[in-house]
Amino acid sequence: MANVKVAIRVRPLNARESVAGGRLAVQVEDKLVRIRNTKLDGRHDGPGESREKVLEFGFDYCYWSVAPEEPHYASQEEVFQDLGVTVLAGASEGYNVCLFAYGQTGTGKTYTMMGTLDSMGLTPRICQGLFKSDDTFPEGHNSSRVEISFLEIYNERVRDLLRGREQKKKPSLRVREHPEKGPYVQDLSQHVVSDYKQAVDLLEEGIANRITAATHIHDTSSRSHAIFTIQYTQAILEDNLPSEIVSKINLVDLAGSERADPHYCRDRLTEGSNINKSLVTLGIVISALAQNSQMSSSCQSINSVASHTSCLSGGGGGGGRRHCFIPYRDSVLTWLLKDSLGGNAKTIMIATVSPSSSSYNETLSTLRYAAHARNIVNKPRVNEDASVRLIRELREEIDRLKRTLLSFQMQLNPSPSLSDQRDGSLSDIVLQNELKVDELTKDWSESWRDKKELLEQYSVDINRDWGGFLIHSLLPHLITLDRDVLSTGVTFYHLRVYTIHNLGY
């Protein structure tokens, strides 16, 4: 169990807010954010006045990025050291990790996630950290594979940002749900990268293909939700014990919420309504998950005080409260983020706000939104390969049997024949398990080595420009596809050179 971690970042005043007077309504102190309703300044609290002048919220991280000359100014590096390092640590341990930015249009979400040429954001820094972590392992003891995909959700339709610029009209992709792996995007291109430069090139290509437009608040406002996904696979062989873990990192830059303006053109109004629809659905999902988490914690506290009382059914009449339904499928965004919200992932939310008093309502709404998200409880688990898990369980079984065998040998048994019989049967089981472990370890090592050689030697490129895969090979080979419609598995058979194959008469 792990709660969603929430961070708040306050951006500098923009030109429009500075011209209007630049009055600040937000204060940050340690992990507390205070927002003041400046319209109530100078008023005396009357009997009918229900509005509070100052509201206070607590979060896991709070960053004041208003003025660089201030002593407690939070730079991009400081944000990365807190949030980015947490993402890298979770990925290295084999957990799914999600980091998403939320806020009003023009509050610095894209700057925080993507950054600029002079100040890198979280996404390129995380990519850089992934390849740096590979260099810390001794040669031959660790091998990793990094696959990248980049999509946007525009008007509730999914588009691949890495399809290539030659495709002027990008086809919308369909969202499917695998019974075990959860929601995924069908025919989304995945690109294997071997260094930081290749990862950044793909990131810049996707950013260039993303849809932006000018609004009254921001000149280059993002008109779509963008999800940059990194699949990080690690294979480690230590003390002849294999370990293969797969981590999925979702870095999400949400489009900004804004009020509808009748002076906008039809396209801007359609974009804004779809953006607000998905963000409202996200808010409903967050509120429902927070309510369910609070309900579960209250049930556990009641059960700990009175173990004989059930939380779901009372003693007399009236049943317990039911958990709220989570409407994940009401929006493409929430459907794709299903695992990140209440599922198998460690999730971090960074909410960006404006410090200006003119944005009081939007800032207060964002702070309340983030406060709800902090109550969500996820259930992250290590994503371990099934074969590797079997090897580890057999190793544990061998250790347990050896301890049992040693305890039998140390005990004084009045019947030597019975003791010899027990020792013999346990020794046979231990020997069989050790042989099975050695065989599985050898098969796993050869399989991983073959996959790595295939990627390096034949330059396998999955869905780079077409809805398939491309293999540059001058040698004869066979390819077979999995019959399972939910699987995208491709098997590649390389025919050895100087080998004669008789296929018939």
Side-chain angles (χ1 to χ4, degrees), residues 201-269:
D201 289 343
L202 291 175
L203 177 63
E204 292 176 352
E205 178 185 348
I207 294 175
N209 293 332
R210 191 179 177 188
I211 297 177
T212 59
T215 63
H216 293 323
I217 300 177
H218 192 38
D219 293 335
T220 56
S221 175
S222 300
R223 311 307 297 167
S224 64
H225 308 300
I227 303 179
F228 186 81
T229 303
I230 305 172
Q231 185 164 314
Y232 183 49
T233 306
Q234 302 174 82
I236 304 172
L237 186 62
E238 187 175 358
D239 297 331
N240 203 30
L241 181 63
S243 173
E244 181 177 343
I245 51 180
V246 181
S247 303
K248 187 177 180 181
I249 307 173
N250 283 327
L251 304 175
V252 186
D253 179 20
L254 299 177
S257 60
E258 61 181 45
R259 296 179 180 178
D261 192 330
H263 296 91
Y264 281 155
C265 65
R266 183 177 180 180
D267 291 342
R268 297 290 86 78
L269 289 174

Side-chain angles (χ1 to χ4, degrees), residues 16 54 101 125 168 200 208 232 268 419 421:
R16 179 179 57 84
V54 179
R125 289 174 186 266
K168 295 182 180 179
V200 171
Y232 183 49
R268 297 290 86 78
S419 178
Q421 184 179 0

Side-chain angles (χ1 to χ4, degrees), residues 413 415-427:
N413 197 317
S415 177
S417 61
L418 180 60
S419 178
D420 294 341
Q421 184 179 0
R422 287 179 176 176
D423 292 350
S425 60
L426 287 175
S427 299

Side-chain angles (χ1 to χ4, degrees), residues 129-191:
L130 279 179
F131 292 102
K132 279 185 178 180
S133 62
D134 291 342
D135 300 334
T136 59
F137 290 91
E139 186 67 24
H141 289 265
N142 178 65
S143 181
S144 64
R145 184 172 67 250
V146 179
E147 301 172 63
I148 287 177
S149 61
F150 201 1
L151 64 87
E152 71 172 353
I153 304 173
Y154 175 72
N155 286 342
E156 289 297 295
R157 294 184 178 181
V158 180
R159 296 183 177 185
D160 192 343
L161 294 175
L162 301 179
R163 284 280 185 177
R165 296 186 178 181
E166 66 276 4
Q167 298 185 10
K168 295 182 180 179
K169 186 178 180 180
K170 302 182 181 65
S172 59
L173 305 179
R174 303 187 68 175
V175 180
R176 304 290 192 182
E177 185 159 5
H178 193 277
E180 295 180 359
K181 299 179 181 179
Y184 69 97
V185 178
Q186 186 178 7
D187 297 330
L188 179 66
S189 63
Q190 293 183 343
H191 304 263

Side-chain angles (χ1 to χ4, degrees), residues 229-386:
T229 303
I230 305 172
Q231 185 164 314
Y232 183 49
T233 306
Q234 302 174 82
I236 304 172
L237 186 62
E238 187 175 358
D239 297 331
N240 203 30
L241 181 63
S243 173
E244 181 177 343
I245 51 180
V246 181
S247 303
K248 187 177 180 181
I249 307 173
N250 283 327
L251 304 175
V252 186
D253 179 20
L254 299 177
S257 60
E258 61 181 45
R259 296 179 180 178
D261 192 330
H263 296 91
Y264 281 155
C265 65
R266 183 177 180 180
D267 291 342
R268 297 290 86 78
L269 289 174
T270 303
E271 292 168 355
S273 63
N274 283 302
I275 290 171
N276 291 335
K277 172 190 173 183
S278 60
L279 293 178
V280 167
T281 304
L282 180 61
I284 294 173
V285 168
I286 288 176
S287 299
L289 288 170
Q291 183 176 346
N292 289 347
S293 299
Q294 292 175 345
M295 193 183 304
S296 299
S297 61
S298 63
C299 288
Q300 292 176 1
S301 62
I302 292 174
N303 288 335
S304 62
V305 174
S307 58
H308 63 278
T309 304
S310 173
C311 178
L312 298 178
S313 60
R321 294 183 298 172
R322 295 181 179 179
H323 279 199
C324 297
F325 170 73
I326 312 300
Y328 288 113
R329 292 193 175 220
D330 286 0
S331 170
V332 176
L333 175 66
T334 52
W335 193 6
L336 287 177
L337 296 180
K338 181 179 178 181
D339 278 344
S340 302
L341 298 171
N344 175 27
K346 291 186 174 182
T347 304
I348 303 172
M349 172 184 178
I350 179 166
T352 56
V353 297
S354 167
S356 175
S357 58
S358 60
S359 302
Y360 172 82
N361 292 328
E362 290 79 4
T363 300
L364 180 59
S365 174
T366 301
L367 293 176
R368 287 173 173 167
Y369 203 100
H372 279 296
R374 198 182 179 199
N375 296 323
I376 298 176
V377 178
N378 286 358
K379 307 173 187 63
R381 63 179 182 275
V382 176
N383 301 303
E384 191 176 20
D385 184 77

